[in-house]
Amino acid sequence: MKLKGKYSESSVLHAIILAAAAVVSVAVFFVVLNITGSEVPKIELPSAETTTTAASSTEAPEEDTGYKADKDLVNEMFDAAEGLIYGNYTVLRLYYTKGLPHEDEPYGNEPEDGYYTVASEDYSSIDQLNEIVDKTYTKDQANEIKTDPLGYGAIYKTRDNGTLGIIQNYTPMQYDRSWENPKLEIEPLSDTECAITVTIHEKSDDSDVPLNAVMVKSEDGWRLTSVIF
């Protein structure tokens, strides 16, 4: 998944954001992300070019009682949401829709512990996977992903020989949606909570699929409260 962009502090788009924050109770921001390639991506954000717009109501509300995030907080939320969507995409492929390749046991035997050794150039320890999960989700959601995401136990563990193992009966979930060129929308709800809508596409007809989520801020930073499918 390739992320294109960061907006410039001096750009016209930031002027739009500032103006919108002064006249509307809720500002909505969009970013276009590009997700390409068949390999499971690493959790890092490449520098690229982001497109941001602000949407506002055409009519002024009778009474302004909605929450307004200031410019700095909006920027923080936007950057956090961008990174969390990337992390979610990585976790989705690692745990739910693809998994990691593995080595066969000697002589074609079944593994005694129920796990094959992972054969990946990118991931070689459970700590690497746990770090991605923990940086993306709240503690309860992260624990579910690490221990029983698909209903038949932990997908990965450290085997007795110290290698990273993937469960023997791993079966990817059926998933027919594309994350190529998704659209991300955020709506600040409070200083510590933000609604997210990610619009992806059905592979069959390229129709839009809006997916809703929430991210919250704790002492560890912003985290998603659920996996976005």
Side-chain angles (χ1 to χ4, degrees):
M1 181 170 83
K2 194 188 303 181
L3 301 183
K4 289 190 175 179
K6 292 288 180 185
Y7 40 76
S8 168
E9 194 68 36
S10 61
S11 68
V12 175
L13 297 174
H14 268 243
I16 296 173
I17 292 173
L18 289 174
V23 298
V24 299
S25 60
V26 178
V28 182
F29 301 86
F30 300 87
V31 60
V32 176
L33 314 178
N34 284 328
I35 302 173
T36 58
S38 58
E39 296 299 320
V40 178
K42 297 179 182 177
I43 188 164
E44 58 181 326
L45 296 178
S47 59
E49 191 178 319
T50 300
T51 301
T52 308
T53 61
S56 62
S57 172
T58 57
E59 297 182 3
E62 294 182 3
E63 183 179 0
D64 185 5
T65 59
Y67 169 77
K68 290 182 181 179
D70 63 31
K71 174 197 163 206
D72 289 341
L73 182 57
V74 167
N75 290 343
E76 177 187 324
M77 288 176 169
F78 185 89
D79 288 342
E82 188 180 60
L84 292 175
I85 293 304
Y86 190 93
N88 180 85
Y89 175 76
T90 304
V91 170
L92 187 63
R93 289 169 61 85
L94 283 170
Y95 287 82
Y96 295 92
T97 66
K98 186 177 178 66
L100 289 171
H102 65 78
E103 301 173 357
D104 290 334
E105 291 290 282
Y107 309 109
N109 293 331
E110 294 189 355
E112 294 182 0
D113 61 354
Y115 286 76
Y116 289 111
T117 294
V118 166
S120 169
E121 295 181 357
D122 297 318
Y123 303 100
S124 58
S125 75
I126 194 68
D127 289 341
Q128 289 175 289
L129 302 181
N130 288 345
E131 181 180 8
I132 297 170
V133 175
D134 291 338
K135 284 185 176 180
T136 306
Y137 304 98
T138 56
K139 290 182 179 179
D140 287 345
Q141 181 61 71
N143 184 64
E144 178 181 322
I145 294 169
K146 290 185 287 187
T147 59
D148 193 20
L150 293 172
Y152 47 82
I155 302 302
Y156 301 100
K157 77 166 191 175
T158 301
R159 302 190 71 190
D160 292 340
N161 61 6
T163 62
L164 176 63
I166 182 170
I167 197 166
Q168 177 183 358
N169 62 338
Y170 176 73
T171 305
M173 63 180 288
Q174 184 175 351
Y175 194 76
D176 297 318
R177 292 172 174 174
S178 169
W179 282 73
E180 185 174 358
N181 298 319
K183 182 171 64 178
L184 169 64
E185 173 185 332
I186 70 168
E187 181 182 352
L189 302 176
S190 73
D191 288 352
T192 58
E193 186 175 9
C194 182
I196 298 173
T197 300
V198 184
T199 302
I200 59 175
H201 312 282
E202 293 287 358
K203 290 182 178 179
S204 59
D205 58 7
D206 202 36
S207 59
D208 287 350
V209 181
L211 305 174
N212 298 317
V214 172
M215 69 176 187
V216 295
K217 188 176 184 179
S218 68
E219 59 184 11
D220 297 321
W222 291 96
R223 299 291 187 271
L224 293 174
T225 60
S226 61
V227 181
I228 305 173
F229 291 99

